[in-house]
Amino acid sequence: MSKPLIVVVDDEPQVLRAIGRDLLSRYGRDYRIVRASSGQEAMEVLARERDAAQPVALVLSDQRMPGLDGVSFLAEVRRLAPAARRALLTAYADTESAIGAINRSQVDYYLQKPWDPPDQHLYPVLDDLLDDWQQGYKPGLGGVRIAGSRWLPEVHALREFLTRNHVPYEFFDTERADDRGDEARELAAGAAALPVVLLPDGVRLERPKVEDVARGVGLHTEASETTYDVAIVGAGPAGLAAAVYAASEGLQTVLLDREAPGGQAGTSSRIENYLGFPSGLSGHDLARRALTQARRFEVEVVTPVDVQGLRLDGPFKYLEVSAGDGGSRTISCKALVLTTGLSWQRLPAECADRFERRGIYYGASSTEALNCSGETVYIVGAGNSAGQAAMHLVQYARKVVMVIRGRSLGEKMSEYLVKRIESLAAADEQSIEIRTRTEVVGCRGADRLEGLRLRHAVTHEEDEVTTGFLFVFIGATPRTDWLGDRVSRDAHGFILTGSDLDAERDLARWPLKRAPYLLEASVPGIFAAGDVRHDSVKRVASAVGEGAVSVHFIHRYLASL
Ligand SMILES: Cc1cc2nc3c(=O)[nH]c(=O)nc-3n(C[C@H](O)[C@H](O)[C@H](O)COP(=O)(O)OP(=O)(O)OC[C@H]3O[C@@H](n4cnc5c(N)ncnc54)[C@H](O)[C@@H]3O)c2cc1C
């Protein structure tokens, strides 16, 4: 396989030469730079590269071109090179169309001409886009290889885990009838149980646990110390922010997560309201950036570990943490930050358990998107996460059907998403359909999901639909039982902090003269931030803000010890 491609398109020969030259000098060593003078010509190049299975990393296009303009061309690129990052090169006067392009075609970025000096105005943005692309790039040699049926729940769990932990892997589907399927069957030959996982060092594992693969690819699966200044449970936006601020201010910090850094935000296909990212960014990208930052400040990130118990002894907090061998370890800390967020509620439909990860997925639209090509997929839920998933999946699936209980999408979803979905549905009712006042009440299939039973909320009429994919986004709840009775929570399990703590009900055992700090729970030195906190705003920015603010109070608490 040759070097991945960067394609640049501009109808003005002088501009094309200049941008081509700048790209070559910076990226020529690692990428092939291809220049095209029109969208049409570039599409022919992309079609050829797709047929030859050559990877395309980035497509950069001028906006004003005769025939196909930049925005329309970049929308087509999505079909020909779905993984490529796409950026528009605009004159100042075209800023409006660039912003429109971001909204309509989910273009990754827009750059303004002139871009001199490229070190300031061109390379930082392109470096970032290419770094992001590299995360998903599987060069085919030296990475993890998984062979098995794509319908096996274990396969889904491994792929989801590796994707979310930014570990490149290649998947070989043993059910495919083509050459790729033959390769898969060869890799799996002789195995007593699937999937087979081949690690980069040649070790072959049969139906391994996620923890074994995590260790095999060099993830940090056990804390190196037994005592820390600060332990943070949950590496979503709140936990990552707390970790970055704590470690950057000199506190020895461990960050523990049972799945992967990024939390719920890490599963979002596009976060559009996070300040400073006008084109939006994927949750995967946000998590990758935050994780890099945390590691730079020497946060010890441990994953996958489930924190299962809490014990208190004077100022020390002891966490019971699952270990890969099936046992558990204890970690102690002076200050503890609980940022465990929310977990998806399970679909109450009969038989939904049976098809979990065999066609029914909770918040996993990114990992499964490529599998949905040519299929009709169903999404249940009416919040922003369901809306984002619909906008993401519609680029891969033949058709997306949203099943919602309410009368309209606008009851729960942000207006910008409602508008986008409704305008897409109005423009092409074959691509997206919204079924209001409807519930999923049953599912059918043998080894995997094959269909759903839907019921209308008013008429109670039922109908059967055929589908192999249901993505569920029906709300989330905190899982905080493991905290025991010392950390006060509300009736739904959200952690009470600061002035929400009731003196009689929650603070009977509070040992200090001072009242709990803002974000401090019913035990001195235990803080809660983000979605798991009672009455918190369920947003990325507020989780990040609370995580950062908690560190301010940690300093005050530690100073008083
Ligand atoms: C699909 C989707 C799209 C979204 N889009 C947007 C958006 O566009 N804009 C926006 O502002 N918000 C969005 N949100 C909401 C936003 O993602 C959340 O508000 C935010 O992630 C909350 O962050 P958090 O750190 O509090 O918790 P979470 O993100 O929930 O992270 C909690 C972490 O704790 C870990 N954990 C839990 N219990 C344990 C335990 N016992 N041991 C170890 N680890 C544990 C979990 O594995 C998880 O990684 C979206 C949410 C979803 C699901």
Side-chain angles (χ1 to χ4, degrees), residues 164 233-240 256-274 305-308 339-344 363 365 384-386 388-389 416 473 479 482 529-532 537-544:
R164 293 199 51 208
V233 186
L240 283 160
L256 309 152
D257 200 289
R258 59 153 80 110
E259 290 168 11
Q264 293 169 73
T267 65
S268 167
S269 47
R270 203 164 185 93
I271 298 166
E272 308 216 30
N273 54 1
Y274 192 51
V305 281
D306 198 13
V307 181
Q308 297 165 330
T339 47
T340 49
L342 302 177
S343 305
W344 288 112
S365 58
N384 282 352
S385 39
Q388 284 179 11
Y416 79 95
F473 298 88
R479 274 199 251 153
W482 63 271
D531 280 12
V532 75
V537 179
K538 308 290 182 279
R539 289 284 183 271
V540 175
S542 46
V544 168

Side-chain angles (χ1 to χ4, degrees), residues 26-358:
R26 172 80 164 205
Y27 303 110
R29 207 168 58 103
D30 302 316
Y31 296 88
R32 252 183 321 138
I33 315 294
V34 174
R35 290 184 262 190
S37 58
S38 69
Q40 204 51 49
E41 184 186 333
M43 288 206 334
E44 283 162 23
V45 171
L46 291 171
R48 254 196 331 268
E49 298 294 327
R50 181 197 53 191
D51 294 345
Q54 292 299 323
V56 181
L58 172 71
V59 181
L60 184 60
S61 172
D62 180 34
Q63 164 60 3
R64 283 196 195 187
M65 298 186 289
L68 201 59
D69 66 31
V71 174
S72 316
F73 161 66
L74 288 176
E76 284 296 307
V77 170
R78 188 55 120 168
R79 191 174 50 78
L80 292 165
R85 295 298 174 266
R86 300 168 301 147
L88 198 63
L89 201 55
T90 59
Y92 178 73
D94 291 330
T95 306
E96 290 269 304
S97 46
I99 292 172
I102 289 167
N103 285 341
R104 277 195 315 281
S105 315
Q106 308 211 335
V107 165
D108 293 299
Y109 212 89
Y110 74 89
L111 290 144
Q112 279 184 357
K113 293 180 191 175
W115 57 88
D116 278 327
D119 279 328
Q120 273 177 37
H121 300 305
L122 183 69
Y123 298 147
V125 171
L126 297 191
D127 283 355
D128 226 27
L129 290 173
L130 289 168
D131 263 8
D132 188 33
W133 177 80
Q134 281 283 353
Q135 294 304 307
Y137 176 46
K138 299 141 194 170
L141 290 172
V144 177
R145 284 175 293 166
I146 303 172
S149 158
R150 71 172 153 138
W151 298 111
L152 279 176
E154 292 83 357
V155 166
H156 174 80
L158 282 171
R159 294 177 66 195
E160 176 87 348
F161 178 79
L162 292 174
T163 305
R164 293 199 51 208
N165 279 280
H166 313 271
V167 179
Y169 67 87
E170 251 188 304
F171 172 57
F172 296 80
D173 187 358
T174 46
E175 295 206 357
R176 279 174 66 146
D178 55 8
D179 290 355
R180 186 84 178 167
D182 291 341
E183 216 175 326
R185 285 180 285 278
E186 219 168 281
L187 286 175
L194 292 180
V196 166
V197 175
L198 293 142
L199 297 176
D201 58 6
V203 170
R204 179 183 155 105
L205 306 170
E206 290 183 16
R207 196 183 282 180
K209 287 198 288 194
V210 165
E211 288 83 353
D212 299 333
V213 176
R215 245 192 320 278
V217 297
L219 286 176
H220 204 57
T221 55
E222 270 183 35
S224 60
E225 308 290 332
T226 49
T227 302
Y228 293 84
D229 293 329
V230 184
I232 302 166
V233 186
L240 283 160
V244 165
Y245 281 87
S248 69
E249 290 166 19
L251 298 172
Q252 194 188 14
T253 305
V254 66
L255 176 61
L256 309 152
D257 200 289
R258 59 153 80 110
E259 290 168 11
Q264 293 169 73
T267 65
S268 167
S269 47
R270 203 164 185 93
I271 298 166
E272 308 216 30
N273 54 1
Y274 192 51
L275 193 71
F277 293 86
S279 326
L281 82 172
S282 69
H284 193 260
D285 190 16
L286 179 69
R288 177 181 62 79
R289 287 162 189 264
L291 185 62
T292 309
Q293 210 169 359
R295 288 200 171 123
R296 229 189 75 215
F297 287 119
E298 298 182 14
V299 173
E300 195 177 327
V301 183
V302 187
T303 172
V305 281
D306 198 13
V307 181
Q308 297 165 330
L310 170 68
R311 184 167 56 80
L312 304 171
D313 190 356
F316 287 96
K317 290 93 191 157
Y318 293 87
L319 294 173
E320 192 191 311
V321 177
S322 68
D325 56 14
S328 66
R329 306 267 182 281
T330 302
I331 294 176
S332 73
C333 59
K334 295 179 201 159
L336 171 64
V337 190
L338 300 168
T339 47
T340 49
L342 302 177
S343 305
W344 288 112
Q345 270 172 24
R346 275 17 207 174
L347 188 73
E350 142 227 348
C351 77
D353 284 357
R354 191 149 64 88
F355 297 113
E356 184 165 338
R357 294 180 168 159
R358 296 174 188 265

Side-chain angles (χ1 to χ4, degrees), residues 374-378 398-399 401 435 442-445 448-454 463-470:
E375 307 276 343
T376 296
V377 307
Y378 282 71
R398 189 171 65 81
K399 180 171 184 175
V401 183
R435 294 190 62 159
C443 31
R444 66 180 158 76
R448 60 182 173 91
L449 183 71
E450 288 169 23
L452 300 171
R453 193 151 43 82
L454 307 179
D463 66 334
E464 297 265 344
V465 294
T466 301
T467 184
F469 293 92
L470 174 67

